[in-house]
Amino acid sequence: MDATPPLPSGDPDGLETGTPQNALLDFFFPGFSVYSTAISKYLHIDLNLYIPLVLFLSGLTFVWRYFQEYFSNLAESHLMSVVDIRPDDEIYNMLMTWVASQSFSKKSRRFVVNTNLNSRSWYVWRSFDDDDEEEEEGGGGDESRGQKTKALAYTPTFGSHWFIYKNRILIFRRTQNAQQSAFMTASEREEISISCFGRNPWVLKELLHEAREEHMKRDEAKTLIYRGTTRSGSSEPVWQRSLARASRPFSTVILNEKVKKDLIEDVTDYLNPATRRWYSNRGIPYRRGYLLHGPPGTGKSSLSLALAGFFKMRIYIVSLSSVTANEENLASLFAELPRRCVVLLEDIDTAGLTHTRDNGAQNDANTDTTDTADTADTADTTTSSSRRSRNGQTSENNNSNSSTTSGRLSLSGLLNILDGVASQEGRLLVMTTNHIEKLDKALIRPGRVDMIVKFDRADTDMTAAIFRAIYAPLEGDDLPAPATSKALSQLEGKITTTTTATTTARPAPEEEETARAAKKAATIARVEALAAQFAARIPAHEFSPAEIQGYLLRNKRDPERTVAGAEQWVVATRLEKKEKELKEAGERRERERKEREEGEKEKEKEKEKEKEKEKEKEKEKEKKKEKKEKEEKEEKKEKKKAERKKRADKEKKKAGKTTTTDSESSGSGSGPESEAESGSESAREASKTKSKDPAAAVPVRATAAAALEGKAAPVQAEPLAVPVPAITVDTDGAKDAAVEMHKTPRPDSGYGTP
Ligand SMILES: Nc1ncnc2c1ncn2[C@@H]1O[C@H](COP(=O)(O)OP(=O)(O)OP(=O)(O)O)[C@@H](O)[C@H]1O
């Protein structure tokens, strides 16, 4: 039996594709009919027979997926606990570090590799450049030997990953949220969650706590530094984690030992939990403030950092001369502070509380110059470098818009923030200033500032201490690198000697140890002697520790050379300072000149504006005057009109009376009245122009005479100027004439037509 399906009729090749069914299939799967016909022709398989099967399977898959998702969602919402981790929160960093250390992560066949596991969100992200434990020894060839390379961290890729934690099955899920803004980086767009079976999420919480503890442990020996700034692309203030650096030992800050001791005792007592209770029992706000003041580069920021490191607290730094420092931003930054931390408010003599820092520095004609070029080397990576850039920024700001800067944060605003509800209790407030004399007493009154520490330029003891701090051998110091040819040759000499010694006889370990100790003692003694010599060559109270440290760092492996060049350095630095002062004075003068010129220009402009205003005022006045005159004229005219009307009315009345009398006397009068009125009208017209002219009496009289001749009855038309008696006299004759005229109207008069 032939199982071959019959070929569609009308298609000699058997490749007919025109059935509606095929057209539909072609629409969804382009080229289907061609392939199916070819397959049916050459392989004798009719694909059309399998279509229902394929459709059925697709439908089944769809339904399976739908139900799977539906049931998994149902199970997740009713039978599982889930924690979602936001990538813009610091817990993201903590959890990812934890995940990277787990075996399921290490075993994962598809994974993401990172040198830095942290969130890409810029304000959560932290740099590990200064983290030693994040680095591993390079094990490559000669070049990489001894160098440190970035450690690699492996985390599972996108999808769900099952693992066991505390005997519970958990699922780590990493997904990419495509809905978020396109400008975000891949890491910012990803979402992570951990879920567990059961409605109690305790295991998830424990996991998160563990992740946080581990993360904190790594930071234990570090001081975490946060800077108050604004989020990129918005003006929202945030604390940005800027650095995690090895805590600075208190001993490295050179300061009067008693002051240091007092400070530590005071802070220790304050941080004691019993003290907290003591404060709250008495209703006293639990906070403490310290003011560190002195010239630039004398160790104020260094002490603050050392303090934070010593008490294992985070330090939150805000510079009041920065753009961020307005009342609103500061208030919200303070509101976000944790309970136990150090808040460092730098440059409180700036930002409108008194004067700007620039002004202060200018007023101080002394040697209050900012760090010299030397200090660039000394840059305390945390404070000084950021400070330098900040100063770089803000000195410009101050120059260009010191007025706006000073307008931003008022003293009362700052006091409100320090004392108000937004200020977190339990914090340690450290304020620094270069100009204590400029501070308002309210700002540094007890309660706000409980201890004032003065920093000064280096005296002889301090100079010697700085020298010792740089050159005395310390644990962990690397072998000095050959800095000069002399040192190199010395080193070579040593190596040769050592090699010879090794070839001959290797000393016992104890002997080696004793030799090393003896050498160290000798070095210390030598450094001590050199420190004394050095201190004697540096004038006391002239240079800041930062300046001295900068010079020492130039020859950090050659103390003799440092001592030898000390006097020269003093002369050169003085000269440099003088030049800098002169330059600054010149710049200041130039700036003042420009300001003056601009001021004068402004004044000129103001004057011109005033003049223009005056002119406009004059014009306005003139216009008003003209208007007034016009109005007066109008008024006069109106008055005249009114008077004339009055007079006319009067005359009318009079004339009426007269006419009445006449008519009374004549027995009729209604007929000629209109004519008389017309005549009086013309007479009135004439009187308009000549009423005031006494001579007008003549033509009026003439008119009256004309009237008498029979043209009109101008009795009422007699203007005031016309002597009434004359008219009265004439009226009698006119009356008769008018009567006469009424009786026999003259065709040319124009008045007689009925
Ligand atoms: N008393 C000091 N002891 C040890 N190092 C110091 C001392 N004073 C300054 N230095 C060094 O000088 C550099 C600058 O110091 P720091 O930033 O603490 O000075 P500052 O007083 O805060 O200056 P500014 O007023 O400009 O902020 C740092 O590298 C620091 O190590």
Side-chain angles (χ1 to χ4, degrees), residues 248 252 254 296-302 378 380 384 387 434 545-546 549:
R248 180 172 183 152
T252 62
I254 297 149
T298 47
K300 300 179 291 293
S301 309
S302 306
T378 76
D380 184 313
S384 296
R387 167 177 293 262
N434 297 138
Q549 185 182 289

Side-chain angles (χ1 to χ4, degrees), residues 248 252-255 294-303 346-347 357 371 375 378-380 383-384 387 390-391 432 434 455 462 466 545-547 549:
R248 180 172 183 152
T252 62
V253 182
I254 297 149
L255 189 69
T298 47
K300 300 179 291 293
S301 309
S302 306
L303 184 77
E346 289 183 317
D347 311 324
R357 188 184 167 110
D371 303 358
T375 24
T378 76
D380 184 313
T383 54
S384 296
R387 167 177 293 262
R390 193 197 66 226
N391 282 348
T432 69
N434 297 138
F455 287 73
M462 215 166 172
I466 298 168
E547 285 170 326
Q549 185 182 289

